Amino acid sequence: MYANWRKIAQVDDPAAYTHTVLVRTYLSYRRRRSNSEQPTDTLPDSGAAPEHDATLRVTLLDALGRLSARDRAVLPHGRHGAAHPRGT
């Protein structure tokens, strides 16, 4: 507020301006992702299924093998540990 006092002095209703600044600052803080994070002693479950469906894996690897190198380049890599059948 102090840094912008000249601007505030020209406003018709400085109390309304101050209220707006305070509300926007509060909402900005509440929207921050770090605001909702709470430290814990244990890590949450990873969410990954403990079993892997072998048929699905073979089907996906076959489909990846049919893509061109250019098309494969835009796919996300390494998240599930699946290697490309040709090593590329």
Side-chain angles (χ1 to χ4, degrees):
M1 298 277 301
Y2 176 77
N4 292 325
W5 188 249
R6 287 184 184 155
K7 179 181 173 183
I8 296 169
Q10 295 173 356
V11 174
D12 290 335
D13 189 0
Y17 177 83
T18 303
H19 182 264
T20 301
V21 169
L22 290 173
V23 168
R24 287 181 180 171
T25 302
Y26 170 77
L27 292 175
S28 175
Y29 171 75
R30 295 292 296 170
R31 288 182 188 131
R32 279 191 202 131
R33 183 177 183 92
S34 63
N35 180 47
S36 63
E37 294 177 356
Q38 299 293 326
T40 61
D41 292 334
T42 58
L43 294 175
D45 292 334
S46 67
E51 317 174 341
H52 297 289
D53 185 1
T55 307
L56 177 60
R57 180 177 171 86
V58 170
T59 304
L60 289 173
L61 290 174
D62 182 51
L64 284 172
R66 286 183 271 139
L67 291 175
S68 69
R70 185 175 183 174
D71 289 335
R72 281 192 315 271
V74 299
L75 296 174
H77 292 233
R79 172 134 191 187
H80 299 289
H84 188 273
R86 289 184 256 173
T88 58

